[in-house]
Amino acid sequence: MLVELEKDNLQEIVAEHKNVIVQYSATWCGNCRIMKPKFKKESAANEDITFVLADAEKFPESRKLAQVDNLPTFARFSSGEFKNQVQTNKYDVLKELVHEASSN
């Protein structure tokens, strides 16, 4: 499932789903735009994980959940808890994070 945040409610989504991966991005971020279709591809291939697109500038409370200080950042949550994050523009690194979530 792919969700695009429309309000600053990531905490609710994380609490409601077992495995969540978030792409934190911003409209000005070129690497974020490059990674977005790859993120969407992973969401289509992994239906047991909830994928969330979050604008890090619009949603500061959601950003705080993963201590985001660089973009793009991909964060993994499991059973309502923050597990880890990666700051990357490399597809292989994103796939590793998805693999961690799917084997959880």
Side-chain angles (χ1 to χ4, degrees):
M1 169 174 34
L2 180 66
V3 176
E4 190 153 0
L5 282 191
E6 295 181 10
K7 58 184 179 178
D8 206 354
N9 67 334
L10 181 60
Q11 181 65 52
E12 295 170 25
I13 294 169
V14 166
E16 292 170 1
H17 298 91
K18 184 176 188 309
N19 290 307
V20 179
I21 295 181
V22 182
Q23 177 179 343
Y24 291 95
S25 59
T27 54
W28 53 262
C29 174
N31 284 330
C32 300
R33 287 193 298 272
I34 290 169
M35 292 301 290
K36 189 174 181 178
K38 296 169 183 170
F39 187 75
K40 287 182 173 181
K41 179 180 177 180
E42 287 300 309
S43 74
N46 294 277
E47 296 178 4
D48 57 327
I49 302 170
T50 302
F51 288 77
V52 180
L53 291 164
D55 187 312
E57 293 189 321
K58 288 183 185 175
F59 306 122
E61 292 305 312
S62 296
R63 182 181 181 139
K64 286 179 192 173
L65 292 178
Q67 300 94 36
V68 175
D69 61 5
N70 201 352
L71 298 175
T73 293
F74 299 89
R76 182 172 73 89
F77 298 85
S78 181
S79 301
E81 294 182 13
F82 172 71
K83 294 299 182 182
N84 64 330
Q85 56 127 296
V86 292
Q87 300 171 354
T88 188
N89 62 356
K90 302 205 179 324
Y91 187 37
D92 288 345
V93 176
L94 171 60
K95 288 196 303 188
E96 284 177 29
L97 190 69
V98 171
H99 178 72
E100 285 177 25
S102 65
S103 60
N104 184 357

